[in-house]
């Protein structure tokens, strides 16, 4: 649903900000806004943009607009590294805990 807000500029004139927020079950929220000199322009953009976003895959396409393949690969790689780090931390803390349970000192467990 779009919201149009009237905003006063520094020079005293007005502009109109069209704001679109969409929340769908199972998908994160999406928000987008643009500012126009006339209210009719803001309303027209909001109506057209909402129709675009309601198309299948519209929100997903909008979220990835302007993202290069390099950006996507870097995001994927950083998420994978974070996941592997969490797995390694779980494994090493589990091994360290097992060694302490067996009475082996912390120095020996740290060497593993």
């Amino acid at each position: 649903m779009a919201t149009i807000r009237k905003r006063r500029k520094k020079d005293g004139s007005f502009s109109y900000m069209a704001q679109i927020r969409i929340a769908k079950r199972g998908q994160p929220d999406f928000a987008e806004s643009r500012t126009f000199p006339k209210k009719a322009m803001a309303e027209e953009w909001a109506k057209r943009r909402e129709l675009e976003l309601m198309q299948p895959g519209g929100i997903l396409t909008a979220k990835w607009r302007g993202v290069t393949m390099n950006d996507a690969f870097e995001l994927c790689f950083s998420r994978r590294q974070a996941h592997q780090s969490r797995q390694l931390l779980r494994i090493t803390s589990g091994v360290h805990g097992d060694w302490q349970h067996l009475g082996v000192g912390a120095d020996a467990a740290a060497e593993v």
Side-chain angles (χ1 to χ4, degrees):
M1 180 80 190
T3 303
I4 310 295
R5 293 190 176 153
K6 188 176 184 178
R7 303 183 67 194
R8 184 183 299 270
K9 297 199 253 179
K10 287 183 181 180
D11 65 2
S13 64
F14 291 99
S15 63
Y16 298 87
M17 183 175 68
Q19 202 173 28
I20 299 172
R21 293 193 58 127
I22 299 174
K24 288 191 172 184
R25 189 178 274 175
Q27 291 184 357
D29 291 338
F30 176 79
E32 185 175 4
S33 64
R34 271 188 74 182
T35 304
F36 297 90
K38 300 191 185 250
K39 186 175 182 178
M41 294 172 72
E43 290 171 345
E44 175 62 30
W45 175 81
K47 195 181 304 182
R48 186 172 22 89
R49 191 68 179 125
E50 281 182 327
L51 289 173
E52 290 173 3
L53 293 171
M54 290 301 159
Q55 298 296 320
I59 294 175
L60 186 61
T61 302
K63 284 186 174 191
W64 287 95
R65 179 178 290 167
V67 177
T68 64
M69 287 298 287
N70 187 45
D71 294 339
F73 286 134
E74 286 180 6
L75 178 65
C76 181
F77 183 70
S78 66
R79 286 183 178 174
R80 182 181 171 132
Q81 279 186 320
H83 179 69
Q84 287 175 342
S85 295
R86 285 191 302 271
Q87 282 182 329
L88 182 62
L89 184 62
R90 256 187 259 128
I91 291 169
T92 56
S93 65
V95 167
H96 182 68
D98 288 346
W99 283 47
Q100 282 182 336
H101 175 64
L102 295 173
V104 176
D107 294 335
E111 293 176 10
V112 174

